[in-house]
Amino acid sequence: MNNRIEEIYNRIKKNSTSFLGYPLAKDFDYSEFAPFLNVCINNIGDPESASTLSIDTKDIEREVVSFFADMLSSNIEDVWGYVTNGGTEGNLYGLYMARESFRNGIVYYSEATHYSVKKNLHLLNIDNIVVRSQDNGEIDYSDLETLLSYNRNKPAIFFLNIGTTMTEAIDDLDKIKDIIQKYAIKDYYIHCDAAFLGCTAPFTEPKPKFDFSENVDSISISGHKFIGGPIPCGVVLTQRKHRNRIVNSVSYVGTLDTTITGSRNGLTPLFLWSFIQKYGKEGLAKRVKNAQELAAYTSKKLQEIGVNVMRNNGTITVVFDKPSVALCKKHQLASQDKIAHIICVPGIEKCQIDEFIEDYKKELVLELAYA
Ligand SMILES: *Cc1c(COP(=O)(O)O)cnc(C)c1O
């Protein structure tokens, strides 16, 4: 490696071991795929349709999609999907399917929704309304009801959070369905943003309702978050009828143009596939349990030093009073207004939590001394 590149590598290596505030698992090793860096790989177009350019990993990609479909209570006869560049692309795709279903629909989403959604809505030029959220990050159902009642003659597109970025809050599908019934909304579409929780929620008790057994229309999940990996990726799944609505043009490479980008990453499906081989559903469940235990430990330790903690039921995100800017920087905590969080993803060690608690404790003692 030349000096400049080595410096960059060392910086990333050092910083990636120390962060506590981001939902990125870091316990992976994909070095067996290194030889793939010396070949052209391209999963251009629809994963189910072969291209005349056959340098793809689409067979592996289809197995990945099938695993996710199964995890989300469906199968590849009923749902279709592909490996995306991340949660944002999956959300864009879900909203695209929604718009193609209902050209005059209105998107409802809470103010705790990920920042990328506003931009996606802007790109797609769909009418949309921001709904208030509750203190825990969950959508405010009465505000939703009021807003919906003004627009009951228009199709409703619900953009639901299955784990908000800041507090891991889940919008309650049963309550949304009650509202749909109450106002006799005939035309509606439900998209679930499960960027972070898509791989954990199926294994938590009680299991949050958000998958295809609940008849949702599409789901987006990030691959580089709870699963982890060196390249951002994700999976989007949608009811097959939605994908079939847009599948028409055949591009010059002989495949179907159903995906957002043409050329697509063929390396990330390999990473997801190898994770699935290694862990399967049982391994994922165990991973979730370990993460929950670390989150419970973190909450307890923070409370012991007198810090206010908020943790939504069973989550692996621990929200608490924001410490100093210096401490947020040192431990790479994400913060918003007066709160910060630690996300107990696989790869974070107990000793890192202990080190942070020690630092925070010192800071609190100093604060008291100067008060
Ligand atoms: C991370 C995240 C996203 C965006 O996903 P990317 O993979 O970063 O594109 C969207 N929604 C939620 C809730 C997220 O946590």
Side-chain angles (χ1 to χ4, degrees):
M1 265 195 244
N2 88 19
N3 285 346
R4 176 98 195 278
I5 300 298
E6 195 169 345
E7 249 169 54
I8 294 173
Y9 175 79
N10 289 334
R11 170 176 55 82
I12 295 174
K13 183 114 178 112
K14 176 169 162 284
N15 292 345
S16 67
T17 52
S18 60
F19 68 76
L20 290 179
Y22 295 89
L24 312 172
K26 33 197 167 180
D27 59 337
F28 58 84
D29 180 355
Y30 292 118
S31 46
E32 63 175 303
F33 296 106
F36 282 88
L37 291 179
N38 292 323
V39 287
C40 294
I41 318 171
N42 196 328
N43 285 15
I44 193 161
D46 193 290
E48 293 179 1
S49 140
S51 161
T52 46
L53 180 71
S54 42
I55 50 168
D56 59 75
T57 59
K58 285 186 182 179
D59 50 341
I60 289 289
E61 182 179 13
R62 288 194 297 272
E63 283 182 38
V64 170
V65 169
S66 170
F67 175 86
F68 277 85
D70 175 58
M71 189 175 81
L72 300 168
S73 309
S74 190
N75 57 69
I76 46 163
E77 269 87 65
D78 297 333
V79 302
W80 170 93
Y82 71 95
V83 175
T84 62
N85 291 304
T88 303
E89 183 182 342
N91 286 334
L92 176 64
Y93 201 80
L95 289 169
Y96 170 40
M97 294 296 106
R99 193 198 61 186
E100 295 307 293
S101 303
F102 302 114
R103 284 288 171 145
N104 59 340
I106 297 178
V107 178
Y108 298 88
Y109 64 106
S110 85
E111 56 185 342
T113 298
H114 191 263
Y115 64 86
S116 61
V117 174
K118 247 196 162 50
K119 171 184 58 195
N120 283 345
L121 290 166
H122 193 57
L123 284 170
L124 288 165
N125 195 21
I126 326 181
D127 275 349
N128 60 87
I129 299 178
V130 184
V131 182
R132 233 177 261 137
S133 49
Q134 305 176 46
D135 286 344
N136 73 347
E138 202 174 330
I139 197 165
D140 182 326
Y141 305 97
S142 62
D143 193 39
L144 173 65
E145 191 172 332
T146 309
L147 294 168
L148 197 64
S149 69
Y150 299 148
N151 300 288
R152 54 190 295 192
N153 56 331
K154 288 256 186 83
I157 298 164
F158 299 96
F159 185 99
L160 303 185
N161 287 309
I162 308 305
T164 55
T165 313
M166 205 55 205
T167 62
E168 222 181 294
I170 297 173
D171 297 338
D172 188 330
L173 194 51
D174 279 341
K175 290 189 183 148
I176 306 281
K177 284 182 175 172
D178 287 345
I179 298 172
I180 292 173
Q181 271 203 333
K182 186 168 170 187
Y183 292 92
I185 307 289
K186 197 167 73 308
D187 294 330
Y188 62 91
Y189 184 107
I190 299 174
H191 173 79
C192 294
D193 177 3
F196 182 47
L197 285 204
C199 296
T200 69
F203 309 103
T204 52
E205 286 291 339
K207 182 176 150 183
K209 294 189 173 172
F210 76 102
D211 69 15
F212 291 105
S213 65
E214 297 292 328
N215 238 346
V216 303
D217 292 281
S218 48
I219 302 174
S220 166
I221 303 182
S222 294
H224 58 287
K225 289 187 171 175
F226 194 70
I227 288 179
I231 302 175
C233 61
V235 175
V236 67
L237 290 159
T238 153
Q239 287 188 19
R240 204 164 262 282
K241 64 178 182 203
H242 297 311
R243 174 267 197 178
N244 291 347
R245 191 174 287 125
I246 59 119
V247 55
N248 43 27
S249 45
V250 178
S251 59
Y252 82 105
V253 281
T255 176
L256 301 171
D257 185 23
T258 49
T259 50
I260 299 267
T261 64
S263 288
R264 295 187 305 111
N265 199 321
L267 207 50
T268 48
L270 289 174
F271 299 158
L272 294 174
W273 183 83
S274 109
F275 177 91
I276 291 164
Q277 296 299 307
K278 194 163 152 198
Y279 288 90
K281 281 207 250 178
E282 295 74 33
L284 258 176
K286 206 152 144 212
R287 231 168 133 76
V288 171
K289 192 161 161 280
N290 291 341
Q292 285 172 329
E293 278 168 14
L294 188 62
Y297 175 82
T298 307
S299 309
K300 188 175 118 247
K301 285 286 177 188
L302 280 164
Q303 278 161 339
E304 276 171 16
I305 61 166
V307 173
N308 292 313
V309 175
M310 188 197 69
R311 184 176 162 226
N312 280 323
N313 231 346
T315 58
I316 62 179
T317 301
V318 182
V319 183
F320 51 92
D321 301 337
K322 182 176 164 181
S324 69
V325 173
L327 214 56
C328 286
K329 194 155 177 231
K330 178 176 173 195
H331 294 276
Q332 299 182 64
L333 304 178
S335 67
Q336 192 175 54
D337 306 326
K338 289 194 165 86
I339 56 171
H341 67 198
I342 286 179
I343 307 185
C344 297
V345 280
I348 289 187
E349 306 289 341
K350 226 176 190 166
C351 61
Q352 279 177 269
I353 302 290
D354 291 340
E355 196 186 315
F356 168 70
I357 297 284
E358 276 311 306
D359 283 347
Y360 203 167
K361 199 162 126 190
K362 273 185 217 148
E363 197 169 287
L364 292 172
V365 170
L366 275 180
E367 252 173 48
L368 270 182
Y370 288 104

